[in-house]
């Protein structure tokens, strides 16, 4: 891969990734603020300035390496702080806060799909450098947002899906289940690296997340009049 191709790959993957994960985190904080917890606002995290959310590994280093190597691109930002004790109804409002991140990612994916249709209509399908760059970003934006939504809804603490499950479980069981969140990074490494190395059958991303993501992407493109 030459320098020009590396720059192109980074530009069409890193920009949509950063936007998607920043919106994901801000959505958590905004909904928490609406529901009584101003912790994120107090720490000035209700901003779309990516610098305030960037994690050196998850937002920059890892996505860059993945983009250049041609691997599927993913990443994360510093979690927006949420204090469930300050929510008006901690148990159920925490479920809504958790769903806010994947929810905004689904909305962003739909918006990007609509923009792809608009660009396609305006350009008449002509593949100029500007339109190619824009469409490449938008397509990747669709895929990244869908991936973030689906992956974060896996019912494993500390993912958003884990918080949803916690809110649905009986209180004693929910408390024990929440303790798994302490092992967030090991769980992430287990799902993304260890299990795929042990067996392709254990590759959660390839066998569970990716089929859902590509199925949703195809449905979105059909919804806006693109695709077969």
């Amino acid at each position: 891969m030459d320098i020009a191709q590396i720059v192109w790959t980074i530009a069409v993957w890193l920009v949509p990734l950063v936007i998607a994960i920043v919106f994901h985190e801000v959505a958590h904080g905004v909904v928490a603020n609406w529901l009584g917890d101003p912790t994120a606002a107090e720490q000035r995290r209700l901003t779309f300035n990516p610098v305030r959310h960037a994690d050196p590994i998850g937002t920059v280093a890892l996505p860059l390496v993945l983009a250049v190597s041609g691997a599927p691109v993913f990443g994360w930002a510093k979690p927006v702080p949420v204090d469930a004790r300050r929510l008006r109804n901690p148990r159920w409002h925490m479920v809504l806060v958790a769903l806010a991140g994947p929810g905004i990612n689904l909305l962003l994916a739909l918006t990007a799909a609509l923009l792809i249709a608009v660009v396609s209509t305006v350009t008449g399908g002509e593949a100029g450098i500007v339109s190619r760059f824009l469409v490449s970003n938008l397509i990747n934006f669709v895929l990244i947002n869908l991936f973030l939504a689906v992956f974060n809804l896996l019912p494993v603490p500390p993912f958003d899906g884990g918080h949803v499950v916690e809110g649905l479980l009986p209180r004693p069981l929910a408390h024990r289940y929440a303790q798994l969140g302490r092992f967030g990074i090991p769980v992430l490494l287990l799902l993304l690296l260890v299990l795929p190395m042990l067996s392709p059958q254990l590759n959660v991303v390839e066998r569970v997340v990716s089929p859902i993501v590509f199925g949703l992407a195809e449905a979105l493109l059909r919804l806006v009049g693109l695709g077969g």
Side-chain angles (χ1 to χ4, degrees):
M1 185 181 293
D2 58 27
I3 295 299
Q5 185 61 42
I6 291 175
V7 172
W8 174 275
T9 301
I10 291 173
V12 299
W13 279 108
L14 190 59
V15 171
L17 174 67
V18 170
I19 294 173
I21 60 180
V22 167
F23 268 80
H24 180 101
E25 293 302 331
V26 171
H28 287 313
V30 168
V31 172
N33 194 45
W34 287 345
L35 297 175
D37 173 28
T39 305
E42 292 169 352
Q43 298 187 20
R44 300 194 305 161
R45 293 293 303 279
L46 298 187
T47 173
F48 292 101
N49 178 359
V51 175
R52 304 264 333 153
H53 302 281
D55 178 276
I57 302 298
T59 314
V60 182
L62 180 61
L64 281 174
V65 171
L66 293 173
V68 172
S69 65
V73 175
F74 63 90
W76 61 84
K78 291 187 294 185
V80 163
V82 175
D83 187 345
R85 296 169 299 181
R86 302 177 74 178
L87 296 171
R88 289 190 292 273
N89 185 328
R91 181 176 176 83
W92 296 112
H93 284 174
M94 194 62 203
V95 172
L96 297 179
V97 171
L99 291 174
I104 196 66
N105 287 132
L106 292 174
L107 181 60
L108 289 173
L110 174 59
T111 302
L114 289 168
L115 289 174
I116 293 171
V118 170
V119 172
S120 178
T121 300
V122 170
T123 62
E126 296 182 8
I129 183 66
V130 175
S131 63
R132 280 204 309 120
F133 179 76
L134 184 56
V135 170
S136 294
N137 268 278
L138 289 171
I139 290 173
N140 291 341
F141 196 54
V142 170
L143 294 174
I144 287 169
N145 274 287
L146 291 177
F147 182 89
L148 287 175
V150 175
F151 188 78
N152 277 284
L153 285 174
L154 291 175
V156 181
F159 300 153
D160 298 328
H163 289 298
V164 174
V165 172
E166 182 184 344
L168 298 176
L169 289 173
R171 290 184 185 276
L173 186 57
H175 178 72
R176 291 196 293 272
Y177 185 78
Q179 300 307 307
L180 296 174
R182 295 177 297 174
F183 307 103
I185 296 300
V187 167
L188 186 64
L189 295 176
L190 178 69
L191 290 175
L192 296 177
L193 299 175
V194 177
L195 292 180
M197 290 174 59
L198 294 176
S199 169
Q201 302 299 319
L202 300 176
N203 191 330
V204 175
V205 171
E206 184 175 312
R207 297 184 61 83
V208 178
V209 177
S210 291
I212 297 174
V213 167
F214 287 116
L216 288 173
E218 184 178 353
L220 279 181
L221 294 177
R222 286 178 177 171
L223 181 65
V224 300
L226 299 173

